[in-house]
Amino acid sequence: MLVPVFTLKLSHKILPRMVALGRYDGTHPCLAAATQAGKVFIHNPHARGQRTSTNRMVQSNQDSDISLLNINQAISCLASGVLNPQLGYDCLLVGTQTNLLAYDVYNNSDLFYREVTGDNVRSLALCDFDGDGKTELLVGSDDFDIRVFKQDEIVAEMSETETVTALNPMCGSRFGYALSNGTVGVYEKTNRYWRIKSKNQAISIHAFDLNSDGVSELITGWSNGKVDARNDRTGEVIFKDNFASSIAGVVEGDYRMDGSNQLICCSVDGEIRGYLPGGEEMKGNLMDTSAEQDMIRELSQKKQNLLLELRNYEESAKAELNTKKIDGQRGMIPANTQLQTALLVNLGSDNRSAHVELCISTTNDTIIRAVLIFAEGIFEGESHVVHPSPQNLSGCIRVPLTPAKDVPVDLHIKAFVGYRNSTQFHVFELTRQLPRFSMYALSSPDSSAEPLSFVNFTMNERPQRIIMWLNQSFLLPEDVEFQSVPFQVCFTSLRNAGQLCIKIKPGGEISINTDDIDLAGDIIQSMTSFLAIEDLQVEADFPAYFEELRKVLVKVDEHHAVNQRLTADMAEHSRLIRSMLLQAEDARCQGDMKIMKTHYIELYDLNRDLINQYKIRCNNHTELLNNLKAVNQAIQRAGQLRVGRPKAQVISACRDAIRSNNFHTLFRIMRVGAAPS
Ligand code: CA
Ligand code: CA
């Protein structure tokens, strides 16, 4: 069994996800970790009594090999790496909600300290996604997407079902990911190899070759203190260990300085364990014997169940032979019994209860005892069980579905079929795909309700192929048949009753009318992907949305102005405080307590003003961030309306327009696209 090669118990608690390993002197690997109260501790087991107590860094009173760095602000991010190759050693990067500090640990000095504006990015990784030898940037965001950037251009997007909290490059174009709902998995380019979902949180993921087969495993540190290593191709667990408290971080480094890297796992209680990859003698078998025995127990249980099932079949067959009669109690159902599924739109009694309905039914007098459905991102906990009470048993079960996002979802269905008095049931298993735009009900065209917002484009494509896409992507009572241009089809959203019209006009012109800019983007992306169209330029107008954006841009300007004024005020206040402090101290030295007191009272008032101003500045900053986020989102949305090069051009031209503060140009680009530069 693989056991740690070292274990340390540090007397400091560690914040989850805030662990970094670096060679801050260019030679000795040190662990840096953020702790409560705005401090970073640096554990340097190789320090030989070099006590430093200047600037930010102070020596810990308890441990001689720990230094503490004062940040005085809640720490939200920690990383290390080479910032300046000429220095020849790693620097430490500390992120807080408002600032980024680059710190030279070796010289105990700030390299720089910057105010930063945050975004909704939750995870980043560099990975050679397209295999051209250069790395692309992977970005995981709060809006559940993994985006791949090649320079300024998004080259791929994968939709997940929750906030993407971690990304980690593995071998080649493979990378690991973690979601906030306890999912971890591995992608190869845009294809997901595997994923698993736990009820615990995946705190940290890391790629490390633990069984020495030349391929990295995905190592996950969990909130319940578990660490597991999974095969990158299959997700099979090849090693696991348990800590007494939640994992805070998983890193790697040569902590023993013996020439080989260890996998280093840290818990929030300050327990550190280092593991060397399993040697040849272990033959990749890293689990202890008790884990093997667990496996054997599990397999014999499975064997028992299968034997039981086999006996049931045999007895049923015997009974059938003997009596030539179907014995419902034994779970026998007619051989021609089929399980049928249908998906349809149910408009409900009012707008709020409209939903997609999954109907599961048998083809004869058998009943469905229970249904299990597994589907990603539709049910809480990803599974749903319908188990009617005995008096409500029938041959048909209806399950309401309300997907929150327009993504195609596979419904994995298991139905238990038998008779009312059956004690055993036949299990039917099947998979149905919920079309991407199932939450839109076909409605009759009504020109008075037609949305003002639209996207127009021309495609050199036969209308029949567009109708094929339509039939595949929506839940229609029956397939739409193409007759002639002009052709029009209208839908109503089950979520908010919004209208959607898709028109095919003569000359290959297509227009999509909807006030939902996200829906317009999704439709264009879905349609062009179905038709294998690589580049698409469009003309668009979303008057209401653009008006909202205009207001946001005005607010951004205001917030910038307020920020500048407050910064100037604060500098002035600081100057006053310094001079007042000097005057007060002068008075004290001269023994004039009355004047000293007056100055200190003034100082007190000024300090209170300063603190109040700081609060205003913080609020202003938060609002500014939210508004900038909305602007960035608008640019992404304008991009989503286009495909390929026109999409990249629109995004970069919009960013240029924002940089040069040219709102007129910005809206023109969002409407008609960007001229190729
Ligand atoms: Ca590449
Ligand atoms: Ca391996």
Side-chain angles (χ1 to χ4, degrees):
M1 179 205 176
L2 191 73
V3 292
V5 288
F6 68 80
T7 303
L8 302 165
K9 187 77 184 75
L10 306 179
S11 52
H12 291 274
K13 297 229 186 274
I14 303 176
L15 291 177
R17 298 190 174 91
M18 308 297 151
V19 182
L21 187 134
R23 293 170 190 267
Y24 305 118
D25 63 355
T27 317
H28 303 97
C30 297
L31 264 182
T35 189
Q36 276 108 349
K39 285 187 172 61
V40 174
F41 75 74
I42 295 166
H43 179 247
N44 183 359
H46 317 288
R48 292 284 179 267
Q50 336 157 332
R51 297 188 72 91
T52 44
S53 288
T54 48
N55 293 348
R56 284 180 189 274
M57 199 150 56
V58 292
Q59 203 72 33
S60 162
N61 298 327
Q62 295 144 311
D63 306 279
S64 64
D65 46 9
I66 283 187
S67 317
L68 288 164
L69 196 59
N70 271 317
I71 304 297
N72 298 325
Q73 239 184 318
I75 295 158
S76 54
C77 183
L78 203 66
S80 1
V82 175
L83 207 59
N84 176 358
Q86 281 166 354
L87 285 179
Y89 50 82
D90 292 341
C91 87
L92 179 68
L93 296 155
V94 184
T96 65
Q97 207 204 340
T98 51
N99 291 80
L100 171 67
L101 167 69
Y103 194 69
D104 181 338
V105 177
Y106 183 60
N107 287 316
N108 194 8
S109 62
D110 292 5
L111 288 171
F112 62 79
Y113 184 70
R114 290 278 157 77
E115 206 165 298
V116 287
T117 45
D119 205 346
N120 55 353
V121 170
R122 287 290 294 267
S123 46
L124 293 167
L126 291 168
C127 170
D128 184 6
F129 184 81
D130 56 7
D132 69 348
K134 289 181 200 148
T135 50
E136 281 75 45
L137 178 66
L138 307 181
V139 180
S141 62
D142 274 343
D143 60 0
F144 310 175
D145 276 336
I146 300 172
R147 297 191 176 89
V148 185
F149 285 86
K150 200 173 176 71
Q151 281 150 14
D152 211 10
E153 196 177 318
I154 297 176
V155 291
E157 265 176 299
M158 287 78 86
S159 258
E160 273 298 334
T161 50
E162 264 293 341
T163 299
V164 185
T165 51
L167 289 166
N168 202 285
M170 306 208 37
C171 114
S173 38
R174 220 169 290 161
F175 61 92
Y177 76 100
L179 306 181
S180 60
N181 66 357
T183 300
V184 295
V186 168
Y187 270 94
E188 160 82 31
K189 295 188 178 154
T190 53
N191 302 316
R192 199 165 59 189
Y193 265 162
W194 59 267
R195 65 165 195 122
I196 57 114
K197 187 172 175 297
S198 160
K199 59 182 191 300
N200 299 299
Q201 289 268 315
I203 303 292
S204 179
I205 57 172
H206 190 79
F208 191 82
D209 182 10
L210 202 57
N211 59 1
S212 312
D213 67 347
V215 183
S216 290
E217 281 75 51
L218 183 71
I219 318 289
T220 310
W222 297 91
S223 57
N224 62 344
K226 197 157 112 180
V227 172
D228 57 32
R230 289 170 185 272
N231 181 293
D232 68 326
R233 290 291 187 112
T234 61
E236 182 204 351
V237 175
I238 65 146
F239 174 71
K240 57 184 173 194
D241 202 354
N242 283 292
F243 285 63
S245 56
S246 167
I247 299 300
V250 179
V251 293
E252 72 172 272
D254 184 3
Y255 221 47
R256 301 195 308 172
M257 307 242 349
D258 60 0
S260 54
N261 269 8
Q262 298 103 47
L263 176 74
I264 301 168
C265 304
C266 313
S267 81
V268 292
D269 278 344
E271 185 175 357
I272 318 285
R273 290 183 203 166
Y275 307 84
L276 275 176
E280 218 166 82
E281 72 290 347
M282 299 184 86
K283 298 189 180 71
N285 196 359
L286 309 183
M287 306 253 239
D288 63 357
T289 44
S290 77
E292 256 171 49
Q293 277 162 359
D294 279 354
M295 186 75 87
I296 289 172
R297 223 180 349 258
E298 207 174 286
L299 285 172
S300 9
Q301 185 63 46
K302 257 188 202 163
K303 184 179 159 191
Q304 281 301 318
N305 291 344
L306 284 170
L307 282 173
L308 196 67
E309 198 178 329
L310 184 65
R311 203 159 57 232
N312 286 336
Y313 279 122
E314 283 169 354
E315 279 181 19
S316 301
K318 229 185 284 168
E320 195 180 8
L321 271 179
N322 290 343
T323 63
K324 295 280 173 203
K325 202 173 78 186
I326 291 163
D327 181 0
Q329 240 179 341
R330 286 189 189 278
M332 289 297 291
I333 55 170
N336 63 356
T337 308
Q338 283 178 0
L339 192 73
Q340 291 183 334
T341 59
L343 284 164
L344 41 109
V345 169
N346 185 324
L347 293 172
S349 50
D350 57 64
N351 264 333
R352 266 165 300 170
S353 60
H355 59 264
V356 174
E357 191 169 270
L358 170 67
C359 278
I360 306 165
S361 55
T362 66
T363 46
N364 46 35
D365 62 345
T366 51
I367 54 99
I368 302 175
R369 187 68 199 85
V371 173
L372 264 91
I373 307 170
F374 298 90
E376 215 184 325
I378 291 199
F379 307 112
E380 178 91 46
E382 300 200 349
S383 61
H384 182 70
V385 180
V386 186
H387 195 266
S389 55
Q391 62 271 25
N392 288 329
L393 287 174
S394 77
C396 174
I397 282 182
R398 293 168 194 276
V399 186
L401 307 171
T402 46
K405 286 187 86 180
D406 293 332
V407 283
V409 181
D410 280 333
L411 305 167
H412 303 284
I413 302 161
K414 281 185 187 181
F416 296 72
V417 175
Y419 287 99
R420 276 171 201 281
N421 55 351
S422 294
T423 50
Q424 289 161 13
F425 296 89
H426 188 91
V427 180
F428 285 91
E429 276 192 60
L430 57 94
T431 299
R432 270 294 303 250
Q433 195 180 67
L434 190 63
R436 179 161 184 179
F437 302 106
S438 54
M439 286 294 277
Y440 300 86
L442 190 68
S443 55
S444 51
D446 174 5
S447 54
S448 65
E450 196 176 289
L452 291 175
S453 310
F454 67 86
V455 184
N456 276 344
F457 51 94
T458 306
M459 267 197 304
N460 193 11
E461 191 60 68
R462 283 184 302 128
Q464 285 85 346
R465 296 242 301 144
I466 298 167
I467 303 296
M468 267 171 73
W469 163 82
L470 203 66
N471 284 327
Q472 191 193 293
S473 310
F474 289 82
L475 270 184
L476 301 163
E478 53 194 32
D479 276 3
V480 172
E481 298 276 339
F482 174 69
Q483 271 121 16
S484 61
V485 262
F487 173 90
Q488 165 166 248
V489 63
C490 293
F491 298 91
T492 306
S493 165
L494 299 187
R495 299 191 185 99
N496 57 15
Q499 297 294 302
L500 164 71
C501 290
I502 300 171
K503 294 177 211 163
I504 308 176
K505 298 173 191 170
E509 194 188 322
I510 296 171
S511 71
I512 297 163
N513 287 65
T514 169
D515 286 323
D516 182 345
I517 189 168
D518 286 324
L519 175 60
D522 283 348
I523 285 187
I524 284 169
Q525 297 302 320
S526 167
M527 192 189 280
T528 50
S529 142
F530 179 86
L531 301 169
I533 288 168
E534 287 175 0
D535 290 313
L536 183 75
Q537 182 60 281
V538 311
E539 187 196 325
D541 198 12
F542 289 83
Y545 180 69
F546 287 169
E547 185 48 38
E548 283 305 304
L549 180 60
R550 190 183 298 278
K551 286 181 193 155
V552 168
L553 288 166
V554 169
K555 274 194 202 140
V556 167
D557 265 1
E558 284 170 9
H559 288 309
H560 273 306
V562 169
N563 199 32
Q564 268 177 5
R565 188 168 49 76
L566 288 176
T567 306
D569 282 359
M570 208 172 273
E572 174 61 15
H573 272 90
S574 314
R575 197 188 59 75
L576 276 174
I577 281 182
R578 268 195 297 273
S579 88
M580 229 167 252
L581 190 66
L582 281 178
Q583 287 173 31
E585 282 301 284
D586 279 351
R588 188 179 61 84
C589 291
Q590 288 159 14
D592 191 339
M593 292 303 146
K594 198 169 160 231
I595 291 192
M596 183 197 83
K597 212 174 153 190
T598 318
H599 282 312
Y600 270 118
I601 289 170
E602 283 172 358
L603 201 57
Y604 176 81
D605 290 344
L606 205 53
N607 188 52
R608 198 186 44 209
D609 286 355
L610 208 52
I611 290 170
N612 283 338
Q613 250 187 23
Y614 177 74
K615 281 179 193 152
I616 296 171
R617 197 162 171 240
C618 278
N619 289 340
N620 186 59
H621 186 78
T622 310
E623 273 178 48
L624 176 63
L625 286 191
N626 288 338
N627 285 320
L628 285 175
K629 229 181 252 182
V631 172
N632 195 40
Q633 212 165 34
I635 296 177
Q636 290 298 337
R637 282 172 168 153
Q640 276 303 95
L641 298 175
R642 283 93 183 170
V643 180
R645 284 196 61 76
K647 172 177 174 176
Q649 283 160 357
V650 160
I651 292 174
S652 73
C654 283
R655 293 213 182 114
D656 287 346
I658 294 275
R659 266 192 287 272
S660 56
N661 232 8
N662 194 339
F663 298 163
H664 180 74
T665 309
L666 177 75
F667 286 109
R668 187 174 50 78
I669 296 162
M670 288 185 164
R671 285 197 179 95
V672 299
S677 48

